Amino acid sequence: DPGFANYATSGPPSVDTQANNPFWLSQDLRVFTLTPGVNASPIDGAVTLSVPDNTSYHTAQAYTYITQLLEHLNSTYSNPGGTDPFTLFPDQTNALSADSSVTPTQPNPANLGGPPFVNYNFAVARVRLTDATGATTPKPVKVFFRLFAAETSDTDYQPALTYPSNFTGGLPESPLPGVSDVTLPFFATGNYESSPVNSDYSAASINNQPITVASGNTVWAYYGCYLNIYGKDNTIGGKQIQKLLPSTHSCVVAQIAYDDAPIPTSGQVVGPENSDKLAQRNLQITFSDNPGPAEAHRVPQTFDLRRGPAAGADSEAELVQRPDELMIDWGSVPAGSVATIYWPAVLAQDVLNVADALYSTHQLSAADPHTLKVVVPNGRTFVPVPSGTGENIAGLFTVDLPSGVKAGENFVVSVRRITTQRGKAPPPPPPPPPQIQTPIAGAASPRAEQGPQLINYDWRQVVGTFAVRIPVTTAKVMRPVEENTLAIMKWRLQEMDPSNRWYPVLQRYIGLIEGRVRGVGGSPGQIPPSEWGIWGEPRPTHPGHGPGRPPEPRPVRHQRRWDEQTGKIEGLVFDRFGDFEGLLLRCVDGEERFFASREEEIETLARFAWEERVRVSVVTEGDDRDEVARLVLRRRPPEHDF
C-alpha cells in the first residue's frame, strides 16, 4: 500500500531520517514560501513561477507552477536511491517562511518605498510505494491537503469533524472544509469554490494518479497544492480564506485516500503519529526578545481544542472514565517560568476541580475566571481537557520567559493530547475437560482462593501534538515581524463577527502583540489594521500593465513624528548582565538625557563618538521619546579638523 514514512516507521536508512524527527514535522510533507521578486526558481532552478509582475498575486500562474513542479519531481526524483529533493527546498525553520499565515508580502530590498514583493506558499507530499519492479497500483492514489485554521493537538482522523470528504461508495473522493471551518482544503489545479468537486480529483490529475514502480522495489511519488491564503479569489462559504484564520501559523496535514486501503474509522485512534496515510507539518515560531522588558518575553499562541468526554473517577480497571488531558512538555524552558491558558468558553475553576480530583499535586491555579496559570516545572504539566459537546474551544497559550534568557537560545514547548483507547478482551478460553477428582476433606476450592480477577484492556494514547519554538533574538529582528503580525491580526479581528468563538481570544492576543511591539521599541497605536501588513497592499508595478506607466504612490501607513536632540555622549550604560542598554547625551542646553537602545551597531557608533568626542544628534520617533531611532554623527571637535 502507498504510504508516508511516519515517526514510528523507518524507511531505507540512507534516504529516510524520519525516525529521528517528531511526527508533526513529517519528512514526507514540506511547506515552502516562494517570492518571485527574490527567486522565482528556488528548487534546483528547474521550474519557474512566471508572473507578469512581482508585486501582485497571480492565481493561475501559481497553480501552473505547482503542477509543473510536481511533474518535475515525479520525473526526476522518483528513485529513493538518488537525491532527496526536499533538501533543495527553501528554509522552513524561519518565522517568515513555511506555514506562516501573516507574511503576504515582504519589502523590496532595492526599493523600500515602492510596492512590496508578494509571497506564495506551497505544500508538497511524498508518497512511498514498495512493490515488485513494474507493479502499478490497481487504482489511482489520491492525496488530500488540509490546513488546520489554528494550531491544535486534535489531528487524529475524525471524518465527521476535521477530515470530511465527498464520498462515493463509502470511499473518500475529494476533501471538504471541516465543521465550523476548523480545516480548510487546498488544491493543485484551482480554488475550492471555483470548480465542482475540484479538477484535482474529478479525473486523472496530478493529485489523483496511479503509482508505478519503475525500477527496484520502491518508488517515490509527489503530490502537492498551492496554499492560496492571501488571494481574495479563494473563498470558503463566500468568505476570504484569510478571514477564517485566527492564528499566525497553522498545521498542514496530507491524507492518502487509496480505495484499496482506506483509513479505519473504528477501533484504535488513527492520526499522523501512527498511520502511514496521514502526514503532518507544523511548528509555530514566535520570537522572544533579549533582554528587553517583560512584555517582549511574553510568547502567545492561539490554539484550537476539541471538547473531551465527560470526566469521571479514575480506577485501575476503568481508564475509560479518565478525562482527556493535555500533556505539556516544557523542554528546556527554565523552571519557575509562568505560562497561562485562556479559554473564554471555560471556567478555570471547573478545570481545577477535575485536576484536584485527578492528581495528588499539580502546578495549576486560576489567574482569572477563564485563565489557568501554570508554574513551569522540570518536566511536564498535565491539564484536564474540558468536557462537553458543541463547538471547539478557542484558546490562547502564553509563556513568559525570564529576563535572563540570551539571544541565540531556543526553547521548544510541545503540547500533546492524551485520550483513553478502548481495548477488547480476548475471547475466553474453552472450558477444560471434566476431571474426576476426590476432594480432600477440609480443603478450600482453588477457584475460591483466587477470587475475581480484574483485567484492564484499555490504554492511554497520544491523539496529536503541536509544538511552539521560541528563538531568543533581538528587538531589531522582532520589531518588523511583530508590527506586521499586529496589523494583520487587527484586520482579522475587525472582519470577525463578535459572536465568533475566536473573538475574545483575538482581543487578548492582539493586546499581547501590542505589548511585544512596545517592548521592542515600536508604537502599536500607530499601526492600523491591514490584511497586507505594514508593507502595504500588493499591486502591479505598472498599473494596467501600460508601457512606461510609473507606479502609483504607496498609501502612507502613518505619519511619523521625529524629535532630535544634539550634543555629546557623556557615557555608555550597561545592564547587570553587561549588555548595552543605552547612552547618556549632554545636550547643547546643558541637560543630560538617557536614550535607550539594545542594538550592537548603535553601541559601536556611540562608543566611537564617546571616545573621539564627536558631536551627535539622537533622533527619536513618535511617542518613544527615549528610544534611539537614528544616531547622526555630526563632526569632530575643532582640534581634530584638517
Side-chain angles (χ1 to χ4, degrees), residues 219-480:
V219 66
W220 285 348
Y222 298 89
Y223 299 74
C225 72
Y226 167 39
L227 293 167
N228 189 9
I229 293 171
Y230 314 121
K232 293 185 178 182
D233 59 338
N234 193 14
T235 56
I236 299 290
K239 293 183 179 180
Q240 185 180 339
I241 292 291
Q242 204 185 157
K243 295 180 182 181
L244 302 175
L245 300 177
S247 63
T248 56
H249 285 64
S250 302
C251 167
V252 179
V253 174
Q255 170 195 346
I256 294 177
Y258 183 51
D259 291 350
D260 285 352
I263 299 176
T265 56
S266 61
Q268 183 177 355
V269 173
V270 176
E273 76 282 0
N274 62 3
S275 171
D276 67 346
K277 299 297 184 287
L278 298 169
Q280 177 180 345
R281 192 80 183 177
N282 81 292
L283 182 66
Q284 161 64 23
I285 302 171
T286 306
F287 291 123
S288 170
D289 191 16
N290 166 58
E295 288 177 310
H297 289 231
R298 185 163 293 130
V299 180
Q301 168 59 32
T302 59
F303 75 106
D304 201 10
L305 184 67
R306 186 173 67 239
R307 293 181 180 272
D314 182 32
S315 69
E316 184 179 354
E318 296 274 347
L319 274 179
V320 70
Q321 293 187 24
R322 187 183 181 96
D324 285 6
E325 298 166 275
L326 294 180
M327 182 177 71
I328 306 173
D329 189 335
W330 299 105
S332 58
V333 172
S337 301
V338 175
T340 59
I341 299 174
Y342 173 52
W343 283 322
V346 175
L347 290 175
Q349 190 57 51
D350 291 345
V351 179
L352 293 176
N353 291 341
V354 177
D356 290 340
L358 198 60
Y359 313 125
S360 59
T361 183
H362 57 76
Q363 304 91 26
L364 306 177
S365 61
D368 64 46
H370 299 283
T371 305
L372 292 170
K373 178 181 176 181
V374 182
V375 178
V376 175
N378 284 312
R380 300 175 178 86
T381 295
F382 289 83
V383 181
V385 172
S387 61
T389 57
E391 63 182 2
N392 284 11
I393 301 169
L396 181 65
F397 177 67
T398 305
V399 180
D400 283 359
L401 293 178
S403 59
V405 296
K406 295 290 185 180
E409 290 185 286
N410 274 281
F411 305 101
V412 178
V413 180
S414 58
V415 181
R416 297 176 173 87
R417 181 180 182 136
I418 302 175
T419 192
T420 295
Q421 178 64 49
R422 297 303 309 271
K424 291 184 178 180
Q435 296 182 359
I436 301 175
Q437 183 176 358
T438 303
I440 301 174
S445 167
R447 184 177 299 276
E449 287 181 356
Q450 293 176 1
Q453 292 186 349
L454 298 178
I455 301 178
N456 180 26
Y457 296 101
D458 303 329
W459 68 92
R460 300 292 276 177
Q461 179 174 325
V462 173
V463 169
T465 305
F466 71 87
V468 178
R469 182 165 72 90
I470 309 171
V472 182
T473 184
T474 63
K476 182 178 181 180
V477 174
M478 280 184 62
R479 181 168 173 175

Side-chain angles (χ1 to χ4, degrees), residues 596-616:
S597 177
R598 294 286 185 179
E599 302 300 326
E600 292 182 4
E601 292 84 354
I602 294 294
E603 178 189 357
T604 300
L605 291 174
R607 185 181 296 277
F608 167 78
W610 172 57
E611 292 175 345
E612 299 296 329
R613 307 303 298 148
V614 176
R615 192 179 187 193
V616 302

Side-chain angles (χ1 to χ4, degrees), residues 34-40 49 51 53-54 117-120:
L34 190 159
T35 309
V38 176
N39 185 356
L49 176 51
V51 291
D53 61 85
N54 300 321
F117 287 153
V118 298
N119 299 324
Y120 296 81

